[in-house]
Amino acid sequence: MPTNFTVVPVEDEGEGGNSVASGGDKPISLDKIFQEEETGDNFQGLNTGDDQIESSPFITADGNREHYYEGKNMALFEEEMDSTPMVASLLNKLANYTNLPQGVREHEEAENEEGVPRVPVMVSQMGTFIGVYLPCMQNILGVILFLRLTWIVGTAGILGSFAIVSMCCICTLLTAISMSAIATNGVVPAGGSYYMISRSLGPEFGGAVGLCFYLGTTFAGSLYILGTIEILLLYIVPTAPVVKEGEDSAGPNNMRVYGTCCLLLMALVVFVGVKYVNKLALVFLACVFLSIMATYAGVIKTAIEPPEFTVCLLGNKTLRNDKFETCAKTQEVKNITSTTDLWSIFCETEYPNATCDPFFNNNNLTEIKAIPGLLSGVIKDNLWGEYAPAGVPIEKKNLPSVDDPEMETKMPADIKENFVFNDIATYFTLLVGIYFPSVTGIMAGSNRSGDLRDPQRSIPIGTIMAILTTSFIYISCVVLFGACIEGVVLRDKFGLSVKKTPVIGVLAWPSPWVIVIGSFFSCCGAGLQSLTGAPLLLQAIARDGIIPFLQIFGHGKANGEPTWALLLTVGICEIGILIASLDAVAPILSMFFLMCYLFVNLACAVQTLLRTPNWRPRFKFYHWTLSFLGMSLCLSLMFISSWYYALVAILIAGCIYKYIEYRGAVKEWGDGIRGLSLNAARYALIRLEEAPLHTKNWRPQLLVLCKLDSDLAVKHPRLLSFSTQLKAGKGLTIVCSVLEGTYMTRGKDAKTGEQNLKAAMVAEKMKGFSHVVVSSNLRDGFSLLIQSAGLGGMKHNAVLMAWPAGWKHARDSLARRNFIETVRETTAAHQALLVAKNIDHFPGNQERLKEGNIDVWWIVHDGGLLMLLPFLLSQHKVWRKCKMRIFTVAQMDDNSIQMKKDLQKFLYHLRLDAEVEVVEMHDSDISAFTYEKTLIMEQRSKMLKQMQLSRTEREREAQLIHDRNTASHSASEKAAGAPPDRVHMTWTKDKLMNEKNRHRESMGVKDMFNMKPNQTNVRRMHTAVKLNEVVVKKSQNSQLVLLNMPGPPRNKKGHENYMEFLEVLMDGLDCVLLVRGGGREVITIYS
């Protein structure tokens, strides 16, 4: 479509104009510019001085035409551009975001010493198969599959093993679903599962569960190292033990010695460089798959031709066959009957007439196939489990046997060693704890999210496919082991009945060494992976700064590798090695992994139920019921595996949680627990609004009105201390202050004041909220706070403030009027009012009053607040040793004895311990002192009224006098020069008011000496004086005196005398708390 241009001529403004010349300073015409563009000339010599910017007729004086129109279409938002980025720049930053895991050199940026900008090193991004699927497979398949699964199948039976495997696999599958939802709800940086949990459940849960996961990963390293040494000493080099421990070459001491050496060697490899571990990962993974393929090939071969391995049984008990070849008592060689090696083991000599063991004499030897084959029907015998206590020989139930009841005690130790025994007592829950580590490792994909091409697609698919694949492998192995292998061989944990060959190796094809070598390197690789991942996890926790004593472990080598964290990991790993039992270490790491998985499910469930706006996972196949089921299953498996280990793990996590909470982790990660707290608070507030508050639930919810000095510091910190001491009621506390001015000019001061309030509250160990408002005057600010502070059912019901001590010496009556209006407003709002006199003399939170009294002067009933406050104070350690005394006043017509009895009975029903005293105040004549004091008070009030001219009014009055003198001087000069025609006087409104005030003042001073006091004021002053005399006499030495606070007069004309009455009432007392009830009962005698 055609475009219309309008050219507006602009006159040049000399040297100050915008110049777009090729060399000179003069501006050139538009035609010349287009001519130079046509000839291809380049623009040079552009002027961009500040003077040109000011004098240029254009919007900008920048001569660079490339930037001339830059951003002009967004000029409307140029004010916001200083603090908020444009969408294009934001998207550019997000597109260039790289997730750099610690300790990996390939992700580091290169920068030379000359300051050349950093050049990111290109790293190949991995897909789902290489980046997630294979690492998860490598971490899941491992030591338990090769060393313990056959034993679990033989002990628990096919059905029991199927239940164990199914429970554990379902648990990890549900956890993977929850983890996929969390991992696809944003970028997961280094730290993997720790990052997910901490950012979903907060620093307290994140730190506790992160450390548990770290401990689990570290103990997993111990497990893999113990598995490596077990394979080495039992199957590879059985003659290598350094400590002689009977027939067992893999005894505890040998495991400790070799395990420690192996741990140090692996730690050295990890310290030298993580990249070497990563390069060996594929080799270790190939060993795992090769071993599994050999196992399946062996199963297929058993259907065609079972292996030649046999098992020798004496009676129905299994024998170790590593010391003999023939399973018979005698044998014929060249028609000559001779004894076998087995005969020499059980008999004293090799001759046929030698004395043999009774059990050997009474039972026959039976040789059966160790691997009957897939089609042999042995699956029926292996369906059900055979649990047994420790030290019992492994038996085949359907074989005849003549047992000696005293065989265990009578049989010599050297003969007993030839049987295969259960080394530990077996039961279902133990097997669950030992098996569960074989399904851990599902977090391997999420930990590598920075290396993935599309982590939000790869993590769910790769992790779930890996779990389904390994679940199929485990379940198929359970069924195939039970269908191919003889039961006594399955229950033989170390393969002692098949010539010290691993049972799964007997089944494998072409050779058992495939399994031995494959499992050895698999355990080595898994151990190295654990020693690599655990320090990185600890470093991520330490760098978050939520656990102060771990911060040293956040440091490392120059390239970021966690040296200190590696040292701690090696130390903890050594603890697991010193246990020296794979079966004892497995339940420990099961606890820590289960706790981690439990909180992953909890995090997903909480986020889903809260429906937070930020919860938008790309993985859609999740539901909170699945997460809740996974969480319940994790908790159940913890206690099924080992209830005492579960309690210890929960205790460790609880201690870490409370420690982080106590130290105050100042982190805001937008976690779900905070969202849960918000939802719970909203629900509770709505519930509180549904029904009126009952008297039994009443507690002081304080609005503390604080003053800030010129430095915006709290003027009376003891006001906060006293609030803390009143918090035995556990109610709400809001600490507020008011600044004069406008929020636009004093907004920063308000924030500074609020921070100072929070700091003072922390110093006083006070729990509550703080708020500073800015108002045009203090009166409006405090009125606004009294009306609107709090929310719903959590609004304040009492106001605490300090007595305005300097109100008499103030130049104006502002302090007096603010105080009286506050009293009136709290009364109108049905809120209690507590006014503390000499608040700076009140005891601090660190003081402990050894003795003293808290005296209550109960003049009028105000709902029982006077009774409740001393009780709340006595709950605090500052006032705990003070006694409570209650005084009440009896008039002439009252029976003081009966009043005391009634009051004692009333206190008994209130469950309050207090001394009771009734003070009689008889009618007496008004003294001259009272009359004179009232007169002075009224004279002072009247004088203050007459002196209420502001500073500006006094200045105007001075100006008026100056104007009069000037006018009279001018008039006299004019009168001397010429006679006036007419006298003209102009009165302004200000002049008229000032003249009236001057006349009133002169008249008022004359009347002041002739005035008489008001009779109502005289009676009130009389009451204040007489009551003060009694209070001072009884309570002058008390630690605290609580008095009923009389209300201000309804007629505002008498409010100037109200403060004087209160001063007289409190005269001679140090720490006084004036209490005015809110108009409702706050204490009851009923339960």
Side-chain angles (χ1 to χ4, degrees):
M1 59 183 290
T3 304
N4 298 325
F5 293 92
T6 303
V7 179
V8 180
V10 180
E11 295 182 358
D12 296 336
E13 295 186 6
E15 296 181 359
N18 185 25
S19 63
V20 192
S22 61
D25 291 338
K26 292 183 179 181
I28 61 178
S29 65
L30 197 64
D31 295 332
K32 189 173 182 180
I33 294 175
F34 282 109
Q35 289 173 6
E36 290 182 358
E37 284 183 350
E38 290 173 1
T39 58
D41 291 343
N42 296 325
F43 296 132
Q44 296 177 354
L46 302 178
N47 297 328
T48 58
D50 293 338
D51 55 338
Q52 293 173 332
I53 294 175
E54 296 295 332
S55 60
S56 172
F58 298 102
I59 295 176
T60 178
D62 189 2
N64 191 345
R65 301 298 293 182
E66 293 179 0
H67 303 286
Y68 183 82
Y69 291 105
E70 183 178 347
K72 294 301 173 288
N73 55 342
M74 289 294 156
L76 180 62
F77 297 95
E78 61 187 7
E79 294 291 338
E80 286 81 1
M81 290 180 190
D82 294 335
S83 57
T84 54
M86 294 293 291
V87 173
S89 61
L90 176 66
L91 293 177
N92 185 43
K93 290 178 181 178
L94 292 176
N96 294 330
Y97 174 76
T98 57
N99 186 359
L100 304 179
Q102 299 96 328
V104 182
R105 256 185 208 278
E106 288 76 11
H107 290 282
E108 294 176 353
E109 295 180 349
E111 182 180 10
N112 59 14
E113 296 178 358
E114 287 77 13
V116 177
R118 294 181 177 179
V119 180
V121 180
M122 298 303 294
V123 181
S124 59
Q125 297 290 302
M126 294 182 291
T128 303
F129 185 76
I130 299 294
V132 181
Y133 182 78
L134 290 183
C136 287
M137 291 285 290
Q138 182 183 3
N139 280 268
I140 295 173
L141 299 172
V143 61
I144 302 296
L145 172 64
F146 300 117
L147 296 183
R148 292 291 183 270
L149 188 58
T150 54
W151 173 70
I152 291 173
V153 173
T155 306
I158 295 175
L159 297 179
S161 302
F162 184 82
I164 293 172
V165 173
S166 299
M167 280 194 303
C168 295
C169 291
I170 290 172
C171 176
T172 54
L173 180 62
L174 295 175
T175 303
I177 292 173
S178 300
M179 184 199 69
S180 300
I182 298 173
T184 58
N185 192 49
V187 180
V188 180
S193 57
Y194 160 71
Y195 183 91
M196 290 189 294
I197 295 170
S198 61
R199 270 57 178 180
S200 298
L201 295 178
E204 293 86 2
F205 277 109
V209 181
L211 275 184
C212 286
F213 188 53
Y214 163 74
L215 292 173
T217 307
T218 305
F219 276 104
S222 302
L223 181 80
Y224 296 130
I225 292 173
L226 289 173
T228 303
I229 302 305
E230 184 175 306
I231 295 170
L232 178 70
L233 294 180
L234 279 177
Y235 308 122
I236 300 178
V237 192
T239 59
V242 294
V243 181
K244 185 65 177 175
E245 297 179 271
E247 295 292 327
D248 192 358
S249 59
N253 292 325
N254 286 308
M255 296 285 284
R256 295 183 182 109
V257 173
Y258 279 92
T260 303
C261 296
C262 182
L263 172 63
L264 294 176
L265 182 62
M266 288 184 176
L268 182 63
V269 173
V270 173
F271 178 77
V272 169
V274 179
K275 58 183 179 181
Y276 298 110
V277 179
N278 294 332
K279 288 178 180 178
L280 292 172
L282 287 177
V283 177
F284 299 140
L285 184 61
C287 292
V288 174
F289 279 112
L290 186 62
S291 301
I292 293 174
M293 296 307 296
T295 303
Y296 281 114
V299 170
I300 296 172
K301 185 176 180 298
T302 61
I304 304 170
E305 181 184 358
E308 297 299 328
F309 282 93
T310 59
V311 181
C312 186
L313 296 97
L314 180 59
N316 62 355
K317 294 175 174 54
T318 308
L319 294 176
R320 298 177 59 159
N321 64 355
D322 54 335
K323 293 182 180 181
F324 61 90
E325 295 294 333
T326 305
C327 183
K329 294 181 181 181
T330 59
Q331 61 182 349
E332 289 188 6
V333 178
K334 298 180 180 180
N335 296 325
I336 300 173
T337 303
S338 61
T339 58
T340 61
D341 295 333
L342 194 57
W343 180 280
S344 300
I345 294 172
F346 284 93
C347 300
E348 294 178 354
T349 63
E350 59 184 10
Y351 301 107
N353 58 354
T355 303
C356 298
D357 183 78
F359 186 80
F360 182 74
N361 289 330
N362 297 332
N363 290 278
N364 296 322
L365 288 169
T366 306
E367 188 175 22
I368 60 175
K369 286 187 176 182
I371 312 294
L374 191 62
L375 306 178
S376 63
V378 74
I379 188 171
K380 296 179 181 178
D381 299 330
N382 293 330
L383 279 177
W384 307 103
E386 291 189 23
Y387 301 101
V392 175
I394 297 176
E395 301 175 349
K396 185 172 176 61
K397 297 297 183 182
N398 57 359
L399 286 180
S401 177
V402 180
D403 293 330
D404 185 358
E406 299 181 356
M407 170 188 171
E408 298 295 327
T409 58
K410 286 184 177 182
M411 184 178 290
D414 57 340
I415 295 179
K416 191 184 296 185
E417 288 178 352
N418 294 284
F419 291 94
V420 181
F421 289 92
N422 284 312
D423 61 331
I424 58 173
T426 53
Y427 41 91
F428 181 80
T429 57
L430 173 73
L431 301 182
V432 174
I434 293 175
Y435 173 76
F436 188 81
S438 64
V439 295
T440 59
I442 62 174
M443 303 289 185
S446 63
N447 292 342
R448 295 168 178 250
S449 60
D451 301 329
L452 300 175
R453 188 182 304 113
D454 185 5
Q456 296 194 353
R457 177 180 177 274
S458 298
I459 290 175
I461 296 175
T463 305
I464 293 175
M465 289 304 296
I467 291 174
L468 293 177
T469 305
T470 53
S471 299
F472 170 78
I473 291 173
Y474 281 125
I475 292 175
S476 64
C477 284
V478 166
V479 176
L480 294 176
F481 290 165
C484 295
I485 305 174
E486 177 61 45
V488 292
V489 178
L490 286 173
R491 293 193 294 277
D492 182 4
K493 183 187 294 185
F494 303 110
L496 300 177
S497 62
V498 284
K499 299 188 181 300
K500 280 193 175 181
T501 305
V503 176
I504 192 173
V506 176
L507 179 65
W509 182 87
S511 169
W513 284 101
V514 176
I515 296 295
V516 172
I517 302 300
S519 60
F520 178 79
F521 283 110
S522 170
C523 292
C524 286
L528 284 171
Q529 292 289 345
S530 297
L531 290 179
T532 304
L536 292 175
L537 178 60
L538 181 62
Q539 187 182 50
I541 298 172
R543 287 184 173 177
D544 267 341
I546 58 175
I547 304 177
F549 67 83
L550 291 181
Q551 289 183 358
I552 187 175
F553 300 108
H555 308 294
K557 294 197 291 187
N559 61 358
E561 292 184 8
T563 307
W564 294 105
L566 177 61
L567 290 177
L568 180 64
T569 303
V570 170
I572 298 175
C573 195
E574 177 65 17
I575 296 174
I577 289 174
L578 291 178
I579 296 174
S581 172
L582 190 148
D583 301 321
V585 173
I588 297 176
L589 66 99
S590 295
M591 293 303 110
F592 293 124
F593 277 116
L594 279 167
M595 181 166 289
C596 178
Y597 296 165
L598 183 150
F599 281 99
V600 169
N601 286 294
L602 175 63
C604 182
V606 167
Q607 297 278 25
T608 307
L609 289 174
L610 290 179
R611 298 178 182 176
T612 52
N614 191 53
W615 181 245
R616 302 183 301 275
R618 289 193 176 275
F619 180 75
K620 302 298 182 183
F621 303 100
Y622 69 94
H623 195 266
W624 69 267
T625 53
L626 295 177
S627 301
F628 187 78
L629 180 61
M631 182 177 65
S632 304
L633 192 54
C634 288
L635 188 62
S636 303
L637 286 174
M638 285 178 67
F639 283 93
I640 287 174
S641 302
S642 176
W643 63 268
Y644 45 89
Y645 279 160
L647 292 178
V648 170
I650 292 172
L651 181 63
I652 292 173
C655 290
I656 299 170
Y657 179 94
K658 295 306 292 183
Y659 174 78
I660 298 173
E661 187 180 51
Y662 171 74
R663 291 303 299 264
V666 188
K667 298 285 183 181
E668 178 50 52
W669 290 331
D671 51 88
I673 294 297
R674 187 173 178 85
L676 187 63
S677 301
L678 289 172
N679 272 21
R682 180 182 63 86
Y683 174 77
L685 287 171
I686 293 174
R687 286 293 305 272
L688 286 174
E689 287 282 80
E690 293 177 356
L693 187 68
H694 194 272
T695 302
K696 289 187 287 187
N697 294 326
W698 193 94
R699 60 198 65 196
Q701 303 193 142
L702 298 175
L703 174 68
V704 185
L705 301 181
C706 278
K707 285 187 178 180
L708 302 178
D709 57 20
S710 57
D711 297 328
L712 300 177
V714 179
K715 194 172 184 180
H716 300 295
R718 289 295 171 88
L719 204 60
L720 303 182
S721 304
F722 187 68
S723 304
T724 306
Q725 295 158 20
L726 275 174
K727 286 304 292 296
K730 305 296 183 185
L732 172 73
T733 301
I734 308 174
V735 183
C736 296
S737 189
V738 177
L739 299 178
E740 283 189 288
T742 62
Y743 189 76
M744 297 300 295
T745 58
R746 303 207 64 184
K748 292 183 178 179
D749 290 344
K751 293 179 180 178
T752 303
E754 191 162 336
Q755 291 174 356
N756 292 341
L757 282 179
K758 289 180 179 178
M761 292 170 69
V762 171
E764 298 295 337
K765 296 182 180 179
M766 180 182 183
K767 301 292 185 181
F769 307 95
S770 61
H771 191 44
V772 176
V773 298
V774 182
S775 179
S776 57
N777 57 72
L778 294 177
R779 174 69 252 123
D780 292 344
F782 284 125
S783 175
L784 181 66
L785 289 172
I786 291 171
Q787 295 176 57
S788 60
L791 181 64
M794 289 300 286
K795 288 183 69 68
H796 63 278
N797 53 26
V799 177
L800 174 62
M801 61 186 300
W803 173 258
W807 69 274
K808 281 188 177 181
H809 309 292
R811 293 184 178 181
D812 53 20
S813 59
L814 187 62
R816 171 169 52 86
R817 283 184 292 153
N818 286 347
F819 177 80
I820 295 173
E821 288 303 315
T822 301
V823 177
R824 285 199 171 102
E825 286 179 356
T826 54
T827 303
H830 301 289
Q831 296 173 6
L833 178 64
L834 311 178
V835 181
K837 179 192 176 186
N838 295 333
I839 185 62
D840 295 328
H841 298 175
F842 278 51
N845 287 332
Q846 304 303 321
E847 300 180 35
R848 302 290 181 269
L849 299 177
K850 302 294 184 181
E851 57 182 0
N853 299 315
I854 301 176
D855 290 349
V856 177
W857 285 85
W858 193 20
I859 312 299
V860 295
H861 182 60
D862 58 353
L865 185 58
L866 272 172
M867 307 288 188
L868 186 60
L869 291 178
F871 168 76
L872 296 178
L873 285 174
S874 65
Q875 303 301 303
H876 197 272
K877 51 191 173 184
V878 173
W879 304 90
R880 190 164 293 157
K881 294 186 179 181
C882 293
K883 295 180 181 179
M884 178 178 171
R885 299 192 302 180
I886 296 182
F887 297 89
T888 188
V889 178
Q891 303 292 328
M892 272 299 289
D893 300 334
D894 296 330
N895 185 343
S896 58
I897 298 176
Q898 187 62 38
M899 280 182 65
K900 185 173 183 178
K901 291 181 179 179
D902 293 342
L903 183 54
Q904 287 174 338
K905 184 178 180 181
F906 180 58
L907 291 177
Y908 175 78
H909 287 305
L910 288 176
R911 290 90 64 198
L912 296 176
D913 296 326
E915 297 179 10
V916 174
E917 187 172 344
V918 177
V919 178
E920 296 181 352
M921 287 187 62
H922 303 291
D923 290 340
S924 59
D925 296 334
I926 298 174
S927 64
F929 170 77
T930 304
Y931 191 86
E932 182 181 357
K933 198 169 184 65
T934 309
L935 182 60
I936 294 173
M937 177 188 71
E938 292 190 353
Q939 288 176 349
R940 180 177 179 278
S941 300
K942 192 166 186 179
M943 187 179 298
L944 286 174
K945 277 186 178 180
Q946 293 171 358
M947 295 177 65
Q948 280 180 353
L949 291 174
S950 65
R951 181 178 299 177
T952 55
E953 289 174 341
R954 289 197 295 270
E955 290 176 354
R956 287 178 182 176
E957 185 175 334
Q959 185 65 36
L960 177 62
I961 295 171
H962 180 267
D963 292 344
R964 285 177 182 171
N965 293 335
T966 305
S968 61
H969 180 69
S970 302
S972 61
E973 288 181 354
K974 287 182 180 181
D981 295 335
R982 182 173 59 180
V983 177
H984 179 74
M985 182 175 283
T986 302
W987 287 88
T988 64
K989 185 176 181 181
D990 289 341
K991 292 180 180 179
L992 182 62
M993 293 300 296
N994 285 318
E995 189 68 25
K996 286 184 178 180
N997 287 334
R998 188 173 64 82
H999 180 69
R1000 189 186 303 117
E1001 184 179 349
S1002 62
M1003 293 298 296
V1005 173
K1006 294 178 181 178
D1007 295 342
M1008 195 176 300
F1009 296 101
N1010 301 324
M1011 66 181 295
K1012 293 183 179 180
N1014 186 283
Q1015 292 300 316
T1016 303
N1017 290 339
V1018 172
R1019 285 188 282 108
R1020 288 179 177 174
M1021 182 64 75
H1022 175 69
T1023 303
V1025 170
K1026 299 301 290 183
L1027 188 57
N1028 176 257
E1029 290 176 359
V1030 176
V1031 174
V1032 170
K1033 180 181 178 181
K1034 298 286 185 180
S1035 304
Q1036 189 171 17
N1037 297 322
S1038 297
Q1039 299 291 351
L1040 181 64
V1041 178
L1042 282 78
L1043 285 169
N1044 276 119
M1045 182 180 183
R1050 296 179 182 177
N1051 185 3
K1052 290 190 177 182
K1053 291 182 179 180
H1055 72 270
E1056 62 272 5
N1057 302 322
Y1058 175 67
M1059 300 286 285
E1060 192 74 39
F1061 293 142
L1062 295 181
E1063 281 281 9
V1064 172
L1065 185 61
M1066 298 184 293
D1067 190 27
L1069 300 172
D1070 187 18
C1071 296
V1072 182
L1073 186 66
L1074 293 175
V1075 181
R1076 182 164 178 80
R1080 63 161 295 164
E1081 293 291 332
V1082 301
I1083 195 168
T1084 178
I1085 63 174
Y1086 300 104
S1087 61

